[in-house]
Amino acid sequence: MIRPRTIAFVLMAVAASPAVAADDLYTRFFAGVDGGKPCYVRVYDDAHLRAHPKQTVRRIFVDFEVDRRSDQSRKNGADDFEAGISFMLKRSSEWYGQALSCKTARDHFECYLEADGGTFTLTPRGNMLRLAVTGGAGSDIHTEGEKDFGTFGAPGSDDRVFLLPRGDRKICDAAFPK
């Protein structure tokens, strides 16, 4: 016979597991990686860009600093954290970048850019993150640079999905020196 206490313990463990899984995913890919400052980056060479003429992104990264947040009244956590996205287009050597807000959702992260800058998911793949633009047919990612606006991820482009391996933090820091 199963005791009521055993049933209660099992039910509590099952109810708590999504939060534990969310914290674990957040820790494994953001807060607990590279001293809480991971940089997930992809740089495409000219040969790749010639082979993919519909791709407009030359470089792209997602960076994170566990202690950095615009809203100082909150701390980054699995349920709500700030990171950054930056990219460089084929047409320019200018970096485009913006802060983004993310949260853990089961086996991936859901992220959005302020001011209707777009939405995407980050799904772990080994030690990489798979960035996929979401939001439907008219969606893309757009943000401001120093001189103009940069956009990627339009329907029909080769800029809807990127695999971003964890890279050298210096690459993320060099795009926007402090």
Side-chain angles (χ1 to χ4, degrees), residues 26 29-40 61-70 72 74-77 80-85 100 169-170 172-174 176-178:
Y26 167 74
F29 287 89
F30 288 99
V33 178
D34 296 333
K37 296 181 178 185
C39 173
Y40 294 91
F61 67 77
V62 171
D63 73 327
F64 174 78
E65 292 187 35
V66 70
D67 294 324
R68 179 178 283 178
R69 188 174 174 104
S70 60
Q72 295 296 318
R74 287 195 54 139
K75 290 187 175 202
N76 285 318
D80 179 25
F81 64 96
E82 286 184 10
I85 185 169
L100 51 116
R169 179 74 206 180
K170 292 176 189 169
C172 287
D173 291 341
F176 298 100
K178 295 174 185 157

Side-chain angles (χ1 to χ4, degrees), residues 41-44 57-61 86-89 95:
V41 61
R42 186 56 150 236
V43 177
Y44 295 97
V57 172
R58 173 197 322 255
R59 297 176 181 179
I60 184 169
F61 67 77
S86 297
F87 57 94
M88 184 183 290
L89 301 173
W95 281 103

Side-chain angles (χ1 to χ4, degrees), residues 106-122:
R106 295 178 311 279
D107 64 345
H108 65 279
F109 306 97
E110 295 176 351
C111 302
Y112 69 91
L113 284 81
E114 299 285 331
D116 297 326
T119 61
F120 58 87
T121 59
L122 295 170

Side-chain angles (χ1 to χ4, degrees), residues 56-169:
T56 62
V57 172
R58 173 197 322 255
R59 297 176 181 179
I60 184 169
F61 67 77
V62 171
D63 73 327
F64 174 78
E65 292 187 35
V66 70
D67 294 324
R68 179 178 283 178
R69 188 174 174 104
S70 60
D71 176 5
Q72 295 296 318
S73 68
R74 287 195 54 139
K75 290 187 175 202
N76 285 318
D79 64 330
D80 179 25
F81 64 96
E82 286 184 10
I85 185 169
S86 297
F87 57 94
M88 184 183 290
L89 301 173
K90 286 193 306 189
R91 66 175 168 80
S92 169
S93 61
E94 180 175 1
W95 281 103
Y96 301 90
Q98 187 171 328
L100 51 116
S101 299
C102 301
K103 66 179 180 178
T104 308
R106 295 178 311 279
D107 64 345
H108 65 279
F109 306 97
E110 295 176 351
C111 302
Y112 69 91
L113 284 81
E114 299 285 331
D116 297 326
T119 61
F120 58 87
T121 59
L122 295 170
T123 305
R125 295 283 187 264
N127 71 341
M128 296 187 278
L129 291 175
R130 178 184 184 270
L131 184 155
V133 177
T134 58
S139 65
D140 63 11
I141 302 297
H142 48 276
T143 187
E144 201 169 344
E146 285 187 28
K147 301 173 190 158
D148 62 359
F149 285 87
T151 301
F152 74 85
S157 73
D158 281 347
D159 297 314
R160 303 273 304 165
V161 175
F162 299 92
L163 290 177
L164 306 174
R166 199 165 66 236
D168 187 340
R169 179 74 206 180

